Amino acid sequence: MPGDGREVVVGLDNGGTAINATVLDSGGTFLVDRLLETPSRVGEGPQVAIEALAESFSRVLHLTGVSPDSVRAVGLDTPGPASADGVISARGAVNFVDPAWRGFDVRGALEARLGLPVIYNNDANAAALYAHHVHFGPDAVRRSSVSLIVGTGLGGGVIEGGRVVRGAAGMAGEFGHIRIPMDGLLAEGQPTPVCNCGLLGDGESVASLTGIKKNLLPYWLSRYPDHALHSAESVHQAATQVRGYACAGDAMALEIFRQQAIALGRLFTIAANVTDPDAYFLGGGVVEAVPSFRDWFLATVTEHTDLRDEQRPLATFALVPDLDMAGARGAAIAAGDTLGWAPPKVPSGS
Ligand SMILES: [Zn+2]
């Protein structure tokens, strides 16, 4: 039986709608090769959601034929904002609307429920850690990388020597809320984008679904009065359709993604001057887009990342692989690392 008699860690990626689960054994093999999702029920408050995590934990062990006695630790990731040790922000979080989530210690609660050590990361850090290990394999512990993950918001992760840089308060790698120059990015007469955090012209105000909805799309629709997206049911609906239009070569949609690519390149430029990483990873819905659009987008981000002559030959730009499984797998890698396990076997492209 796979994993039988071995020590394992379980990785649980707790999202706004679903929990994705995986199992990693001490030999560095993932025992789950597909998406194993169950409802996260986070909308029903923390108590229900912790039970949902416990059910997901039992289910993935059952499906992989691993005894609960073999589990040494659990890796957990959730969307932020949350502290380094898994306390959801007292100001609330987009994915944790129920007021009972404010200031809730999700890591501690799961640890108490399962009776096992729980190691916490935010979802962007977990995905960044996975991307790093897939890309570098056995070299992961000697390499550094920076990841930007474009979703509803803009997540970021900094990896040094194969480990997540968390920072004193758990706020390291929050590239979404770094302000970037807007000259040469905004079009003539385009208003300065505003972020939900209150900042003007930060990374997330441009490079996120929220940025498209609030800032980029309203402006670009005013420039394209006959565009089909004018008749979408809602701004949200329209925003979610922009990528599909871009993949089909639509001029307005490509303007929007060009602005996002410039913003991401400028954030990578900041990273180049802070940690000077070996690799720059890009994640988000773009990973699943048609190759022609995906390749153009990554090339445009690369073009707008201003590297020094000494840096460019050493730097790699790549996409975060297996985005759906990256969070759970990254969370599991972090848990294995706390036990002193060697890096997992994750062949590139897996
Ligand atoms: Zn912001």
Side-chain angles (χ1 to χ4, degrees):
M1 204 176 273
D4 198 28
R6 287 194 207 164
E7 299 188 332
V8 304
V9 292
V10 171
L12 298 173
D13 172 38
N14 187 33
T17 55
I19 299 162
N20 180 23
T22 196
V23 178
L24 172 67
D25 74 16
S26 56
T29 304
F30 284 103
L31 306 185
V32 176
D33 60 2
R34 65 201 156 92
L35 202 56
L36 279 188
E37 283 192 334
T38 50
S40 71
R41 304 181 70 183
V42 295
E44 295 168 65
Q47 303 311 329
V48 173
I50 292 294
E51 280 312 306
L53 283 165
E55 274 169 39
S56 172
F57 171 87
S58 300
R59 183 168 175 267
V60 75
L61 291 177
H62 179 71
L63 289 172
T64 50
V66 174
S67 158
D69 297 340
S70 306
V71 183
R72 293 292 168 266
V74 174
L76 170 71
D77 76 280
T78 75
S83 74
D85 50 2
V87 177
I88 303 296
S89 169
R91 290 163 61 189
V94 175
N95 287 283
F96 301 97
V97 179
D98 189 302
W101 280 111
R102 289 185 195 154
F104 184 78
D105 177 4
V106 62
R107 189 204 66 79
L110 185 64
E111 189 165 274
R113 173 65 180 78
L114 297 177
L116 286 163
V118 175
I119 291 83
Y120 177 82
N121 278 283
N122 74 45
D123 55 358
N125 282 345
L129 187 61
Y130 179 63
H132 183 90
H133 281 273
V134 172
H135 189 83
F136 290 114
D139 269 349
V141 294
R142 286 177 289 278
R143 303 287 183 180
S144 59
S145 66
V146 168
S147 293
L148 296 176
I149 296 159
V150 186
T152 307
L154 176 61
V158 177
I159 309 297
E160 245 343 286
R163 288 190 172 144
V164 173
V165 175
R166 296 161 191 276
M171 306 289 169
E174 288 291 339
F175 284 92
H177 309 291
I178 294 175
R179 292 184 68 185
I180 50 175
M182 287 288 129
D183 53 293
L185 188 159
L186 295 180
E188 190 85 15
Q190 184 174 4
T192 302
V194 185
C195 183
N196 280 345
C197 76
L199 285 177
L200 282 167
D202 66 7
E204 183 169 300
S205 73
V206 177
S208 67
L209 180 65
T210 311
I212 292 183
K213 187 167 115 181
K214 282 181 62 178
N215 301 311
L216 307 187
L217 188 59
Y219 169 77
W220 284 104
L221 280 174
S222 75
R223 292 278 301 270
Y224 285 78
D226 300 325
H227 200 280
L229 280 178
H230 279 285
S231 50
E233 271 176 44
S234 64
V235 194
H236 181 77
Q237 274 285 333
T240 60
Q241 290 173 35
V242 175
R243 196 173 72 234
Y245 276 89
C247 288
D250 178 79
M252 184 196 77
L254 287 171
E255 292 282 10
I256 288 173
F257 279 98
R258 206 177 77 83
Q259 293 191 318
Q260 289 206 334
I262 295 171
L264 293 166
R266 289 180 178 184
L267 289 171
F268 276 152
T269 303
I270 292 168
N273 286 293
V274 178
T275 67
D276 183 19
D278 292 289
Y280 300 81
F281 298 123
L282 192 60
V286 68
V287 172
E288 279 126 34
V290 294
S292 57
F293 171 71
R294 201 179 61 194
D295 296 347
W296 167 81
F297 191 71
L298 186 61
T300 310
V301 172
T302 307
E303 180 195 330
H304 288 277
T305 304
D306 196 7
L307 299 182
R308 296 168 202 277
D309 291 344
E310 295 86 345
Q311 292 175 310
R312 196 161 287 278
L314 303 173
T316 304
F317 289 79
L319 299 169
V320 176
D322 309 321
L323 195 69
D324 288 337
M325 291 194 288
R329 287 188 162 191
I333 292 170
D337 185 51
T338 63
L339 298 169
W341 293 1
K345 295 168 195 145
V346 276
S348 68
S350 79

